[in-house]
Amino acid sequence: MSGTGPRRFDLLVRGGLVVDGTGAPGRMADVGVAEGRITVLPPGRPVEAREVLDAGGTAVAPGFVDVHTHSDGVALIGADGDRSLLWASVLQGVTTEICGNCGSSLFPALPERLEELRGETRISFGGEVGIFRDFAGFAARHSALPRANHLASLVGHGTLRAGVMGHVDRPATPSELGAMCSLLDLSLSQGAAGLSTGLIYTPGTYAGTDEVVALAAVAARHGKPYVTHLRDEMSRVEEALEEAVEIARRSGAALHVSHHKTAGKYAWGRTSRTLPRIAGLRAGGMDITCDVYPYTAGSTALAAMLPPWANDGGFAALAMRLADPAERDRMRRAIAEGVPGWENTVGNGGWDRVSIACAPRHPEVEGRTVAELAESRHADPVDVAADLLIAEDGELTIISHSMVEEDVRRVLASPYAMIGSDGVPKPGGRPHPRWAGTYPRVLGHYGRDVGLLTLEAAVHKMTGMAAARFGLAGRGVIRDGAHADLVVFDPATVADRATFSEPLLPPAGIGAVIVGGQIVVRDGTPTTARPGTVLAT
């Protein structure tokens, strides 16, 4: 411990157990902050500081890095939006969010298609939110707003495809693929953190392996990872993992598997095969990692429960199909019988495992399963889902109770698995509690209570490991000269409080959150400080 920095600090965090993000044992130390940077000091050394934060009896860790969010537009909601959505991530200690996951980002697109895309995007929150030309445009828009924490973004393959080709089910032409590669190259050169795919979502699912290899090769040239929501996380999860491995090998890109799971009744237990496969690849020299959220339920769009051909052409085309009884019958058959290459969440589980999370125009259905709604209406579940999608213009999110506890624990315990919330912060309704509870749940439930992880291992998964994977230099660690993003929490009391019925309840035991050297959460309550920035990698 060097402690060679200035003797006068803007802030001194005194008396805490420093868990530095490297996985090393915690040690007593003070942490000085000056001009947004850290100096580690021997405990109790006399120094001058404008403000002293007493961390006695608590742990001091690097700010948590949420490697998997869908928070691309939440800060753009504006002053009239749901502030609890804006603060849920920060209150659980997240000082950096990485968005643009699962193939969906708010950029880039060909300039001539921007206005069209702004009108059809299904991930906007209204107002000025829409598709940006490149990462620079996205960053400029976010930088013009006050933020409590930092934001980085991947480039979404689905957004690239829609921005060049539209929502069409066909292979890209050489010129279209060239345009996608050029747009990707530009955004990565401007500081986007990598390439993401969501190969169960349209239009990404319409792409073959070769298309993704070509794009991942662009990421590889920039030294940035290929981040993938696998083409199947259910009955064909092992086959889908092998496709991702092939893409990484052929492109030369590092591989990161998003929210690794083996979901649906036909895949339960298969982490006992996928995790050894990943470990073996790592032992053989492949740069492969994954992330995980600490819940047995996922969340996505209701439209993703339908076969890929139903979404061909975007929501306008889907709405026309949903209004056609013959097309509904065709969807019913596809769910019952399956479609080659399609994950088929309902076929792997059932409508009784799919509950409505957010239906802005029909809040009375939120929290109820599609099966329950169908029974109460004496209707078929596909008809209920179709009617809701039409009534809500496609803007419905769902909770899918599709996993088992043993698989979640196996992935959490894996030494190459980091933590990501997969939070989908949409206004209204009952979003998945992971947006407010992921990090305290890992620390409290799985770390302290279950004993699955040591404190140091849990913090490493949330900080140093995550920052290293996504090129966040000087973050995720407590050491001299590092960025002053910190979390002060009580290891004995930290716990998630968010539930499926009350999903935005803030956690217990998170005392202070510091971003860029400024206290943004004090005694579990937001302050007025807004030091967050958009990070380029």
Side-chain angles (χ1 to χ4, degrees), residues 197-479:
T197 58
L199 297 179
I200 75 157
Y201 299 117
T202 59
T205 192
Y206 301 145
T209 302
D210 290 348
E211 176 178 313
V212 183
V213 168
L215 291 163
V218 177
R221 289 198 295 272
H222 286 268
K224 296 181 179 181
Y226 168 54
V227 181
T228 181
H229 179 146
L230 298 174
R231 201 177 291 272
D232 196 315
E233 296 177 317
M234 293 189 162
S235 60
R236 295 169 54 248
V237 62
E238 292 165 86
E239 179 182 336
L241 177 59
E242 292 308 315
E243 181 192 29
V245 170
E246 178 187 349
I247 290 166
R249 281 179 169 154
R250 289 173 56 192
S251 68
L255 174 60
H256 183 81
V257 178
S258 295
H259 44 56
H260 183 45
K261 63 177 76 74
T262 54
K265 59 188 176 183
Y266 302 114
W268 290 339
R270 288 206 205 174
T271 54
S272 61
R273 298 208 293 265
T274 61
L275 295 174
R277 174 61 173 150
I278 293 172
L281 291 164
R282 288 174 57 83
M286 176 172 280
D287 186 356
I288 176 173
T289 53
C290 67
D291 62 69
V292 60
Y293 49 81
Y295 298 88
T296 56
S299 182
T300 189
L302 180 59
M305 302 299 99
L306 304 177
W309 54 258
N311 289 281
D312 185 8
F315 179 71
L318 171 61
M320 292 181 64
R321 294 187 184 102
L322 292 173
D324 184 338
E327 289 292 280
R328 289 193 187 190
D329 286 341
R330 188 179 168 209
M331 294 175 201
R332 248 186 292 275
R333 288 195 300 273
I335 291 169
E337 300 170 5
V339 174
W342 174 43
E343 184 175 82
N344 194 4
T345 298
V346 176
N348 281 276
W351 286 111
D352 60 323
R353 291 180 170 270
V354 176
S355 61
I356 304 300
C358 297
R361 299 175 185 174
H362 298 80
E364 71 277 4
V365 306
E366 292 169 351
R368 303 185 66 188
T369 70
V370 175
E372 289 171 343
L373 293 170
E375 183 177 4
S376 69
R377 299 176 184 185
H378 305 289
D380 183 86
V382 171
D383 292 322
V384 170
D387 290 343
L388 281 171
L389 283 165
I390 292 171
E392 295 282 351
D393 288 336
E395 294 290 344
L396 282 124
T397 55
I398 57 100
I399 305 288
S400 174
H401 296 270
S402 58
M403 290 163 275
V404 292
E405 181 70 15
E406 309 90 86
D407 286 318
V408 172
R409 292 190 184 195
R410 282 194 197 102
V411 184
L412 278 169
S414 300
Y416 46 80
M418 56 201 74
I419 308 302
S421 72
D422 198 8
V424 186
K426 298 198 72 170
R430 301 182 187 185
H432 195 300
R434 62 195 181 187
W435 180 238
T438 288
Y439 291 82
R441 182 169 176 79
V442 172
L443 290 167
H445 177 66
Y446 285 106
R448 179 191 61 237
D449 300 340
V450 175
L452 188 66
L453 301 165
T454 66
L455 177 63
E456 291 84 358
V459 168
H460 178 53
K461 288 172 175 290
M462 301 172 174
T463 58
M465 186 191 302
R469 165 46 89 209
F470 290 94
L472 303 176
R475 302 185 193 276
V477 291
I478 295 178
R479 66 177 178 224

Side-chain angles (χ1 to χ4, degrees), residues 62-132:
F64 303 146
V65 178
D66 190 340
V67 301
H68 193 107
T69 80
H70 296 276
S71 59
D72 310 58
V74 66
L76 306 178
I77 295 172
D80 296 330
D82 187 346
R83 309 311 290 179
S84 60
L85 275 178
L86 296 176
W87 280 100
S89 177
V90 185
L91 287 170
Q92 61 169 320
V94 172
T95 59
T96 300
E97 298 167 14
I98 300 177
C99 64
N101 281 282
C102 295
S104 180
S105 56
L106 287 183
F107 65 94
L110 292 172
E112 60 268 26
R113 296 206 69 235
L114 285 173
E115 290 307 316
E116 174 190 349
L117 287 163
R118 285 179 179 138
E120 73 179 33
T121 178
R122 312 312 302 167
I123 56 175
S124 77
F125 290 100
E128 295 182 76
V129 184
I131 302 294
F132 296 90

Side-chain angles (χ1 to χ4, degrees), residues 52-64:
V52 176
L53 184 65
D54 182 7
T58 66
V60 182
F64 303 146

